Amino acid sequence: MAQKAAKIPTFVWEGTDKRGVKVKGETQAENVTLMKAELRRQGIAPKAVKRKSSLSLGKRAKKITPGDIAVFSRQLATMMSAGVPLVQGLDIVGRGHENPSMQKLVMDIKTDVEGGTNLSEALGKHPRQFNELFCNLVEAGESAGVLDTLLDKLATYLEKTESIKKKIKKALFYPAAVLVVAFVVTAILLYFVVPQFESLFRGFGADLPVFTQFVLGLSYFVQDYGLYIIIGLVAAVLLFIEAKKRYPKVVQFLDRLSLKIPVIGMILEKAAIARYARTLSTMFAAGVPLVEALDSVAGATGNYVYQKGVQEMREQVASGQQLQVAMKLSNLFPNMVIQMTAIGEESGSLDSMLAKVADFYEEEVDNMIDSLSSLLEPMIMVILGVLVGGLVIAMYLPIFQMGQVV
């Protein structure tokens, strides 16, 4: 059996670069001597180098989020705009990140770039973090010599698309969470509280109100089958999650269904249009050919209906059709979006027009989510009041009737 390789220690260091600016960071090396030699090779004069404690090394790695990638893009763009070489910029960004997983990712990219690999190719080795769209834009920036500008555009694009996703999730999560809490509270009342009243009602010697009998029957059902209901619900959720992962047709069905839900469907539709416009604007501004850009845009819309529609548009544009005509034939875009696209095509400013469309629809999504939240809050309070208040009334009705008889 092969021996486990010894873990390379991590060193915390401080120093000054060629311009005399103080820099600090963390780097793995075999020993202090090699660590200092590596820093000097990078043009950094080491002032203090010490081994990182095992306590610090035990920091738990977190999952790399799209937000981390957006911050990475913004920081690297800032470094390059300031004249910092790419390798040194990657080194500074990587060491400065708090997430050990992100540190490792950036340092791996830095190692590839040091070995002569293009940044786009180095990023392409990590498809889970850097998708085809990201790599294509970086490659376009490298070819045109405007990598810092493209990274800045990418950071803006990621920040805006993630902002929309978070707002939609928040709008959907809040009512779902409250309804789950209402369901749990109702179940607890039926299982533990209602049976206490039942023992009290036995001594009344009179018929109970119909509503009270119904609630007692519901309580019996929960007591007898509650465990099976919980197991069934957990199994249904797990099966649903697994089906989404394994069967694309399930996702396709849900995407189609989601667009038909009142209010929610309109929000998702506007969000898909915003992502389409923002992604195509960013890619077109980077000089990516329209047909190639549409190929990447399709997957960025976030909904199967729009993904399929954009793929069909791509085929039409590839055969010589204008983008505005292809959009009109898809029946997925409002007239305003088509007209703005037509103006952009005719004036040669398609990227700026699409950016305006994206800004407009992102604001629309924000406003609709705020309106939805304001509408849902009183509705949720009513639902909670009916559920809990109904149970309380059902339990006290027999007592009120007894009072009237007396």
Side-chain angles (χ1 to χ4, degrees):
M1 190 174 175
Q3 257 191 339
K4 192 176 179 181
K7 193 170 183 179
I8 300 173
T10 301
F11 292 89
V12 180
W13 56 266
E14 292 181 7
T16 53
D17 61 15
K18 293 176 181 177
R19 296 174 295 172
V21 178
K22 289 184 178 180
V23 290
K24 59 182 180 178
E26 299 174 8
T27 306
Q28 288 186 327
E30 296 290 344
N31 52 52
V32 176
T33 305
L34 290 175
M35 179 73 259
K36 289 182 177 178
E38 171 63 18
L39 291 174
R40 291 192 188 97
R41 192 180 70 78
Q42 294 176 18
I44 299 171
K47 298 294 182 185
V49 178
K50 63 179 181 179
R51 184 165 177 164
K52 195 174 183 181
S53 67
S54 58
L55 185 65
S56 300
L57 286 170
K59 189 194 290 184
R60 195 165 70 90
K62 299 176 185 175
K63 184 181 177 182
I64 296 173
T65 65
D68 291 330
I69 302 300
V71 171
F72 161 78
S73 304
R74 180 76 68 198
Q75 289 178 331
L76 191 57
T78 304
M79 293 283 176
M80 296 190 70
S81 298
V84 178
L86 178 58
V87 172
Q88 190 177 348
L90 286 167
D91 191 63
I92 294 169
V93 171
R95 291 172 183 169
H97 211 285
E98 294 181 358
N99 186 350
S101 298
M102 193 65 193
Q103 281 184 14
K104 184 180 183 307
L105 175 66
V106 177
M107 298 314 283
D108 287 345
I109 293 167
K110 174 204 159 196
T111 302
D112 288 336
V113 172
E114 275 183 318
T117 306
N118 289 336
L119 178 60
S120 57
E121 293 175 7
L123 295 174
K125 293 180 180 180
H126 309 277
R128 292 182 65 183
Q129 287 78 33
F130 303 99
N131 58 20
E132 187 181 353
L133 167 66
F134 196 105
C135 296
N136 285 346
L137 286 173
V138 170
E139 185 179 2
E142 286 179 312
S143 302
V146 288
L147 184 56
D148 55 338
T149 305
L150 257 296
L151 284 169
D152 190 63
K153 285 182 179 294
L154 268 169
T156 302
Y157 164 75
L158 290 170
E159 287 162 359
K160 286 184 177 291
T161 51
E162 280 307 302
S163 175
I164 286 182
K165 285 181 185 177
K166 284 178 181 176
K167 283 172 181 173
I168 291 173
K169 285 179 181 177
K170 181 183 175 183
L172 297 175
F173 175 79
Y174 174 67
V178 174
L179 289 175
V180 168
V181 170
F183 174 80
V184 171
V185 169
T186 304
I188 290 171
L189 289 173
L190 288 171
Y191 194 87
F192 294 103
V193 178
V194 172
Q196 303 301 319
F197 280 87
E198 183 201 359
S199 59
L200 175 66
F201 296 154
R202 282 177 188 158
F204 280 9
D207 291 336
L208 297 173
V210 176
F211 188 35
T212 304
Q213 290 179 28
F214 169 76
V215 171
L216 287 172
L218 202 58
S219 176
Y220 297 146
F221 180 80
V222 170
Q223 290 175 63
D224 293 339
Y225 301 102
L227 182 60
Y228 301 109
I229 293 170
I230 292 170
I231 293 171
L233 287 172
V234 172
V237 170
L238 293 176
L239 283 171
F240 175 74
I241 293 170
E242 193 63 27
K244 279 188 71 177
K245 288 179 182 176
R246 292 194 177 196
Y247 304 107
K249 287 189 176 180
V250 174
V251 178
Q252 294 168 15
F253 170 76
L254 291 172
D255 281 351
R256 287 195 192 96
L257 184 65
S258 64
L259 293 177
K260 296 177 182 177
I261 301 171
V263 184
I264 298 293
M266 287 183 65
I267 292 174
L268 296 175
E269 185 179 311
K270 289 178 186 294
I273 293 171
R275 282 196 289 263
Y276 161 84
R278 179 69 62 194
T279 309
L280 189 54
S281 168
T282 305
M283 295 199 76
F284 203 72
V288 179
L290 183 56
V291 175
E292 188 180 333
L294 285 170
D295 201 29
S296 298
V297 169
T301 55
N303 186 283
Y304 171 75
V305 175
Y306 278 86
Q307 181 180 347
K308 187 181 177 184
V310 174
Q311 286 170 346
E312 290 172 357
M313 285 163 48
R314 178 190 175 279
E315 297 302 322
Q316 293 167 7
V317 171
S319 63
Q321 191 71 269
Q322 282 187 304
L323 178 62
Q324 55 171 306
V325 177
M327 288 172 65
K328 191 172 183 179
L329 292 172
S330 71
N331 292 320
L332 292 174
F333 299 93
N335 188 55
M336 186 272 280
V337 179
I338 296 169
Q339 292 302 320
M340 292 281 281
T341 304
I343 294 167
E345 283 188 300
E346 289 166 9
S347 63
S349 57
L350 184 59
D351 55 336
S352 61
M353 282 297 175
L354 286 170
K356 285 180 176 26
V357 170
D359 289 337
F360 174 78
Y361 275 92
E362 283 163 2
E363 189 174 347
E364 282 279 290
V365 170
D366 286 350
N367 293 336
M368 288 191 73
I369 288 173
D370 290 340
S371 300
L372 180 64
S373 299
S374 302
L375 180 66
L376 284 173
E377 283 175 11
M379 286 178 65
I380 288 168
M381 294 303 293
V382 169
I383 292 169
L384 283 172
V386 168
L387 285 174
V388 178
L391 290 175
V392 172
I393 291 169
M395 293 302 98
Y396 280 96
L397 265 178
I399 299 172
F400 295 152
Q401 286 188 353
M402 280 188 64
Q404 288 175 359
V405 171
V406 172

